[in-house]
Amino acid sequence: MTALLDIENLSKHFPGGVRAVDGISFHIAPGETLALVGESGCGKSTTSRLALRLLEPTTGSIRFNGEDLRTLSPAALRRRRRDMQIVFQDPYASLNPRMTIGEIIAEPLRVHGLAPTRAAMQARVAELLDRVGLPPDAAARYPRQFSGGQRQRIGIARAIGPNPSLVVADEPVSALDVSLQGQVVNLLQDLQEQLGLSYLFVAHDLAVVRHIAHRVAVMYLGVIVETAPADRLFAAPHHPYTQALLSAAPEPEPGAVRNRIILQGEIPSPRAIPPGCRFHTRCPLAQDICRAQTPPNQQVAPGHTAACHFAAPYPIPTESRR
Amino acid sequence: MRHPVTLICLAIVVAFVAIAAFGPLILPQDPLAQSFIARLKPPSAAHWFGTDRYGRDVFARVLLGTRWSLLLGLAAPLIAGTLGTLIGAFAGFYGGWFDRIAGRVADLLMAFPSLLLGILLAAALGPGFGNLIAAVAFAFLPRFIRVARASTLAVRSEPYVEASFAAGEHPLRIVLRHVLPNISGPVIVVGTLWIATAIRIEATLSFIGLGVQPPAPSWGNIIRDGLTNILGSPWPVVTAGFTLTLCVLAFNIVGDAVRDALDPDYRE
């Protein structure tokens, strides 16, 4: 299998000893959606910027279509950006308030010379607006004239404009009302089917991820603690952190048995990462070995890895589980 | 903006600009023509502002002086604003050594009051109106660098700038297309507020002989000239001084109104 995006041992350390991303590896196949899930501050947004080399990594490699993005010159990287786009979390701040919607959507097209004439540009912008469910006359208007959900559609239209093969979606729906979240997720899913896109879908909400992800990677404090195909991860989490996150997500079926696992304390600062397993300060299963040794990333099933000394299906015992 | 005082000041500003532009076409008398018999006269129907010690019509001289005052008042902030905005925007956007040097130089220049810096530079460059504009513009430069740099730092971290990077846009074009339009508000506000100061500095420099050179009239040198005979005839000093005060006041109040209208922090 050739991956579209193949990231290895990627890390980003900020001045002051902050290890925001601390050696992570993952890959995304063509047409696949990998969800990157974790609490605020776990480094998932930083990872999404590193994956596109919008941030300069401290170590590691980013292979996109087999080519290491880190070896590219600035000009070559800019050309390559046609193929990898991003949708932002904040639908308000991600659109320049002084540009019309048409100008905003046209920007990547113009940069890469994808619409040589004025007429071609107008036609392409209208087509993109139509794809995301907005009327063609939206092109002449300004961002402030649109709601959050509509603005996110504009951001998506801008991202798919140059026909990328990878779109990084950094919490694309977490700023939206729940009623709109589903619409935007469905739109992203439809676009994936129509255009064969791959997504790196960053989220803190497992309920959103359940609908769109093919595979899920769970991040905690700068590392990936568990990776698995989506249905497997939801059916049989092997890392206690994943289990705790899942227990916090709302159950889609009314009346389903829920046993919330409440984690103690706060996520530690990336400035002072605990030794051994970095989850041990909050883990209900923590033993001496967890405080001393970093757990290896072990494969528990094909395509399913977990970094825990006690990796097992539902590692945290709960009364109602038989 | 709708306040009556603001509207009156706006009208005064417009009148001054009109006088500066078209005044010389409607000069009632030759501002340079001397008359031995009509020296040091008080205001009259023939000489609205009286005459000076050479018998020259003060009204005509003040009218012509408006041109120099306003030209400098507008040119210096405009030049300083354009240069300072570009320097500040690139310093804030790119950071690094250019930012450090620009920041240090701006700090250094800010340590001097702009009037003192203006006098220093005007003295160093020598008399002449071009030199005067250059001196005052340079004295204002650090203010604009500061404002543009600070605004750029705020804009630079906006997601729409990151989006432009992600689209593959060249950083230079990001500055032009995204940064400059979005920092123009604060820069325009600072610019309008410094017009009045520039007019004041021009008057001061002309007063001490570093500005517009006699016999060409400017408000500053009319006042200086009138000072010699202030006890005998205060009219040149009073009329030119009043005109200068009115002009500075009007520009200041309009500048405040522009700030209120454009700066969201001051908006009600």
Side-chain angles (χ1 to χ4, degrees), chain A residues 154-204:
Chain A
I154 293 162
I156 292 168
R158 167 174 64 189
I160 61 169
N163 276 327
S165 45
L166 173 71
V167 172
V168 171
D170 181 20
E171 306 214 29
V173 298
S174 39
L176 303 179
D177 287 345
V178 177
S179 57
L180 293 172
Q181 289 188 350
Q183 290 180 19
V184 171
V185 167
N186 286 341
L187 172 64
L188 287 170
Q189 232 161 356
D190 291 347
L191 290 171
Q192 180 166 49
E193 276 166 29
Q194 292 159 13
L195 306 170
L197 298 169
S198 295
Y199 288 131
L200 174 60
F201 192 97
V202 177
H204 61 254

Side-chain angles (χ1 to χ4, degrees), chain A residues 49 54 78 81-82 84-86 88 90 93-99 103 107-108 110-112 158, chain B residues 158-171 173-174 177-179 181-185:
Chain A
R49 302 306 195 274
L54 284 171
R78 281 201 299 276
R81 295 206 176 283
R82 192 196 72 74
M84 42 188 204
Q85 292 288 314
I86 182 165
F88 293 90
D90 186 341
S94 57
L95 308 178
N96 186 339
R98 285 172 186 270
M99 286 166 70
E103 288 168 340
E107 184 173 44
R110 178 182 48 73
V111 168
H112 299 286
R158 167 174 64 189
Chain B
E158 290 283 353
Y160 59 76
V161 169
E162 196 178 14
S164 193
F165 271 113
E169 185 70 286
H170 192 281
R173 293 198 61 150
I174 296 179
R177 291 180 57 89
H178 294 283
V179 176
N182 281 292
I183 66 168
S184 60

Side-chain angles (χ1 to χ4, degrees), chain A residues 158-315:
Chain A
R158 167 174 64 189
I160 61 169
N163 276 327
S165 45
L166 173 71
V167 172
V168 171
D170 181 20
E171 306 214 29
V173 298
S174 39
L176 303 179
D177 287 345
V178 177
S179 57
L180 293 172
Q181 289 188 350
Q183 290 180 19
V184 171
V185 167
N186 286 341
L187 172 64
L188 287 170
Q189 232 161 356
D190 291 347
L191 290 171
Q192 180 166 49
E193 276 166 29
Q194 292 159 13
L195 306 170
L197 298 169
S198 295
Y199 288 131
L200 174 60
F201 192 97
V202 177
H204 61 254
D205 184 352
L206 278 167
V208 168
V209 162
R210 183 167 238 156
H211 288 284
I212 193 164
H214 300 120
R215 284 190 306 126
V216 181
V218 179
M219 261 188 104
Y220 184 79
L221 209 54
V223 295
I224 291 176
V225 294
E226 183 163 7
T227 310
D231 38 5
R232 224 191 116 75
L233 186 106
F234 286 97
H238 274 57
H239 195 285
Y241 180 63
T242 311
Q243 192 186 345
L245 275 188
L246 276 178
S247 81
E251 286 286 341
E253 287 160 51
V257 187
R258 287 183 59 195
N259 287 291
R260 291 202 60 170
I261 298 162
I262 312 290
L263 291 177
Q264 300 301 310
E266 293 286 316
I267 185 165
S269 160
R271 232 177 260 281
I273 290 175
C277 171
R278 47 189 82 197
F279 185 53
H280 82 249
T281 54
R282 299 170 77 194
C283 181
L285 302 177
Q287 305 289 323
D288 286 344
I289 184 177
C290 305
R291 288 179 269 274
Q293 283 178 31
T294 306
N297 223 350
Q298 48 182 307
Q299 181 153 346
V300 295
H304 186 170
T305 57
C308 175
H309 292 298
F310 303 101
Y314 289 102

Side-chain angles (χ1 to χ4, degrees), chain B residues 8-268:
Chain B
I8 292 168
C9 288
L10 190 66
I12 294 172
V13 163
V14 170
F16 270 114
V17 172
I19 289 168
F22 306 113
L25 301 177
I26 52 153
L27 276 180
Q29 321 224 347
D30 181 353
L32 299 181
Q34 306 188 3
S35 163
F36 186 71
I37 44 167
R39 294 169 62 222
L40 300 171
K41 293 282 182 240
S44 65
H47 307 289
W48 290 1
F49 285 6
T51 58
D52 67 6
R53 61 185 168 129
Y54 299 111
R56 296 177 297 198
D57 182 53
V58 175
F59 183 67
R61 293 181 64 75
V62 168
L63 210 66
L64 197 61
T66 306
R67 172 161 277 201
W68 298 116
S69 292
L70 256 63
L71 193 58
L72 186 108
L74 297 174
L78 196 70
I79 293 168
T82 309
L83 275 177
T85 303
L86 287 175
I87 296 172
F90 279 99
F93 191 81
Y94 281 99
W97 62 267
F98 180 68
D99 184 32
R100 282 196 291 277
I101 292 174
R104 287 308 112 197
V105 170
D107 284 347
L108 189 78
L109 294 177
M110 291 273 279
F112 297 92
S114 18
L115 178 60
L116 200 65
L117 198 58
I119 291 173
L120 206 73
L121 290 164
L125 293 171
F129 198 71
N131 288 348
L132 193 62
I133 290 179
V136 177
F138 194 77
F140 286 175
L141 198 59
R143 322 269 162 179
F144 287 95
I145 293 178
R146 278 278 185 84
V147 170
R149 182 180 174 275
S151 310
T152 302
L153 288 180
V155 169
R156 197 191 182 305
S157 59
E158 290 283 353
Y160 59 76
V161 169
E162 196 178 14
S164 193
F165 271 113
E169 185 70 286
H170 192 281
L172 215 65
R173 293 198 61 150
I174 296 179
V175 174
L176 294 178
R177 291 180 57 89
H178 294 283
V179 176
L180 290 180
N182 281 292
I183 66 168
S184 60
V187 169
I188 289 170
V189 167
V190 173
T192 44
L193 289 173
W194 283 94
I195 291 175
T197 308
I199 292 171
R200 234 178 52 226
I201 291 178
E202 186 278 330
T204 310
L205 291 174
S206 294
F207 181 84
I208 61 175
L210 287 169
V212 176
Q213 296 300 304
S218 105
W219 296 343
N221 70 26
I222 295 170
I223 295 173
R224 177 77 191 84
D225 201 51
L227 219 53
T228 329
N229 300 90
I230 192 162
L231 294 178
S233 165
W235 296 109
V237 174
V238 169
T239 51
F242 177 77
T243 310
L244 172 63
T245 309
L246 187 70
C247 184
V248 168
L249 191 71
F251 269 104
N252 261 335
I253 289 174
V254 170
D256 280 349
V258 168
R259 180 197 59 197
D260 293 353
L262 287 182
D263 190 337
D265 290 344
Y266 286 91
R267 210 177 283 158
E268 284 155 47

